[in-house]
Amino acid sequence: MNILLLGSGGREHALAWKLAQSPLCETLWASPGNPGIREVIAEVNARRDTSDEAGLLGTCFETDLTDHAGIVDFCETHRIGLVVIGPEAPLVDGLADTLRGAGIPVFGPSGRAARLEGSKGFTKDLCEKAGIPTAGYVRAASEAEAMAALDRFGAPVVVKADGLAAGKGVTVAMTMSEAQDAVREIFAGRFGEAGAEAVIEEFLEGEEASYFALTDGGTIVSFGSAQDHKRVGDGDTGPNTGGMGAYSPAPVVTPDIERQVMTRIIAPTVKAMEDEGCPYSGVLYAGLMLTAAGPKLIEYNCRFGDPECQVLMMRLESDLVEVLSACATNRLGAIEPPRFSPRSALTVVMAARGYPGTPDKGGAIAGIAEAEQDGGAKVFHAGTARTGNGELVASGGRVLNVTATGASVGEAKDAAYAAVDRIDFPSGFCRGDIGWREVERERQG
Ligand code: AMP
Ligand code: GLY
């Protein structure tokens, strides 16, 4: 099968790495891709017998992800049998609809189904209708309505821009004045269209965890749990980021909690989406708060988490091409459910100094081969580029995902940080405590 992967981050490098391990993967193409994905594609190409099919070798190439007709054209010319869409923006923008309309199998939801991530208000209304446990909320279309809602909840309270805001649209306000500032910012246009509406939410207390499920709209299968670390600094301090590290599985998601999440949150969502006339297909990534009253939904994402995907891929034992392809073609019920290693995987994000503000770009990176020696770790590229003379440099905020496995979270953490120590990235930094909650629990036995 010829496969096209869209996206350029560590999540997509991990997907590429796992897709390439499948005997079903004949050629792999990526747009825009990154230097790590380019290496994966070179390995796929190297194992290919091109004697009678000259020219059919994968590559990374630039496209405009909003040019849906251009992507369909590419897929037809290259006989693409599966498109995997990594990031949320093209999904919310309806790229999967255009591809499906052209008869091209695609992993990822339709634009209307991707509203689960694209509109927080849509998701809250859906949860209310279906009785899915989540924080109490008010949708507000004006500053005055939002301010009135704040009074109703009192501090602490959570203020969210309705639409996609690159992870920056949420304020967990501990005081009323912080909450009022957040409301003013939204309606002053800080998030553009994404802030045309706001959602004011009850503050939930508990530990956060992520849960993943795959569905083709009918069958639903578990795709594991993980825990992310959103704050930039050790001890969960400092500003929010896209995620500074993750591990999987998250033992706080016990088998009992998993059952509750599946029966009270995921399954009713899939059913409600069908009832809405927009059946969901792809990965449902549920951000959960494990409260004293049971797990509650914080938010949905319509794509894999980044860096959660990296730890899931490290543990996945099933053939990723078979799984994603079955999901894309409504055959999820016809294959074995995805299997994962019981071992823990942990990833440490190495970021460029300045992140999550303006990151220092262009810093040299060396030592990846040393970090990966003896198969002890896997380093995924998240924001790297090659200069004209082939030198690897930082090109984004989150730069590398140094990932390892172990019999416990503590062991995986030690292996990942041993690999971090071998990487020479003077303009980079990372958190030193990824996995701390679980390592602490393991220590206490
Ligand atoms: P989101 O961008 O929706 O994932 O929100 C970012 C972060 O804000 C989440 O990971 C939570 O830590 C926090 N958050 C969002 N909603 C709530 C809520 N209702 N109560 C407490 N914390 C929340
Ligand atoms: N790591 C959080 C996210 O992917 O949204």
Side-chain angles (χ1 to χ4, degrees), residues 120 158 160 170 172 201-202 204 208 230 289 298-299:
K120 296 188 189 292
V158 184
K160 302 184 173 182
V170 175
V172 180
E201 267 183 35
E202 168 200 4
L204 295 176
E208 283 187 65
K230 294 216 172 172
M289 190 70 89
I298 298 177
E299 59 156 6

Side-chain angles (χ1 to χ4, degrees), residues 134-264:
T134 185
Y137 74 106
V138 168
R139 288 180 84 163
S142 70
E143 188 173 313
E145 277 175 46
M147 292 294 185
L150 290 184
D151 287 336
R152 213 180 102 186
F153 286 105
V157 63
V158 184
V159 178
K160 302 184 173 182
D162 181 74
L164 291 184
K168 299 190 171 71
V170 175
T171 302
V172 180
M174 287 300 147
T175 64
M176 266 324 226
S177 80
E178 238 182 296
Q180 287 156 354
D181 286 348
V183 164
R184 277 186 213 104
E185 269 192 351
I186 289 176
F187 290 100
R190 175 167 173 218
F191 306 108
E193 259 307 291
E197 238 193 67
V199 174
I200 310 299
E201 267 183 35
E202 168 200 4
F203 173 77
L204 295 176
E205 258 176 295
E207 186 166 338
E208 283 187 65
S210 307
Y211 189 77
F212 299 86
L214 300 186
T215 181
D216 54 10
T219 304
I220 305 171
V221 295
S222 166
F223 209 69
S225 63
Q227 202 165 38
D228 190 11
H229 299 64
K230 294 216 172 172
R231 303 298 188 113
V232 75
D234 282 13
D236 293 332
T237 55
N240 254 321
T241 69
M244 293 300 290
Y247 62 88
S248 172
V252 287
V253 182
T254 59
D256 179 47
I257 290 181
E258 175 167 2
R259 255 190 310 276
Q260 293 181 45
V261 171
M262 268 294 189
T263 55
R264 295 185 191 162

Side-chain angles (χ1 to χ4, degrees), residues 57-339:
L57 287 179
T59 179
C60 288
F61 63 100
E62 291 294 327
T63 47
D64 174 359
L65 294 185
T66 64
D67 174 14
H68 297 184
I71 295 171
V72 167
D73 243 13
F74 178 91
C75 292
E76 285 172 347
T77 308
H78 296 83
R79 289 180 280 139
I80 298 295
L82 176 67
V83 180
V84 179
I85 302 178
E88 62 277 15
L91 291 166
V92 172
D93 190 32
L95 177 57
D97 305 71
T98 313
L99 289 162
R100 278 200 193 96
I104 299 157
V106 53
F107 178 77
S110 69
R112 291 186 67 227
R115 284 182 295 170
L116 278 182
E117 176 163 1
S119 168
K120 296 188 189 292
F122 170 81
T123 301
K124 298 301 286 188
D125 286 351
L126 188 98
C127 287
E128 186 169 72
K129 255 196 251 169
I132 293 164
T134 185
Y137 74 106
V138 168
R139 288 180 84 163
S142 70
E143 188 173 313
E145 277 175 46
M147 292 294 185
L150 290 184
D151 287 336
R152 213 180 102 186
F153 286 105
V157 63
V158 184
V159 178
K160 302 184 173 182
D162 181 74
L164 291 184
K168 299 190 171 71
V170 175
T171 302
V172 180
M174 287 300 147
T175 64
M176 266 324 226
S177 80
E178 238 182 296
Q180 287 156 354
D181 286 348
V183 164
R184 277 186 213 104
E185 269 192 351
I186 289 176
F187 290 100
R190 175 167 173 218
F191 306 108
E193 259 307 291
E197 238 193 67
V199 174
I200 310 299
E201 267 183 35
E202 168 200 4
F203 173 77
L204 295 176
E205 258 176 295
E207 186 166 338
E208 283 187 65
S210 307
Y211 189 77
F212 299 86
L214 300 186
T215 181
D216 54 10
T219 304
I220 305 171
V221 295
S222 166
F223 209 69
S225 63
Q227 202 165 38
D228 190 11
H229 299 64
K230 294 216 172 172
R231 303 298 188 113
V232 75
D234 282 13
D236 293 332
T237 55
N240 254 321
T241 69
M244 293 300 290
Y247 62 88
S248 172
V252 287
V253 182
T254 59
D256 179 47
I257 290 181
E258 175 167 2
R259 255 190 310 276
Q260 293 181 45
V261 171
M262 268 294 189
T263 55
R264 295 185 191 162
I265 299 179
I266 305 281
T269 299
V270 171
K271 160 112 186 16
M273 291 300 281
E274 189 173 357
D275 294 345
E276 287 281 316
C278 47
Y280 192 92
S281 167
V283 59
L284 257 184
Y285 158 8
L288 302 171
M289 190 70 89
L290 308 179
T291 75
K296 295 195 178 182
L297 181 75
I298 298 177
E299 59 156 6
Y300 271 128
N301 294 303
C302 64
R303 33 100 194 155
F304 285 112
D306 186 347
E308 293 95 321
C309 185
Q310 290 79 318
V311 283
L312 293 176
M313 290 305 125
M314 286 295 272
R315 295 183 49 234
L316 182 67
E317 290 173 342
S318 306
D319 180 326
L320 184 64
V321 175
E322 182 186 46
V323 173
L324 300 190
S325 183
C327 196
T329 54
N330 302 322
R331 288 182 301 106
L332 206 48
I335 64 162
E336 289 281 303
R339 270 178 298 103

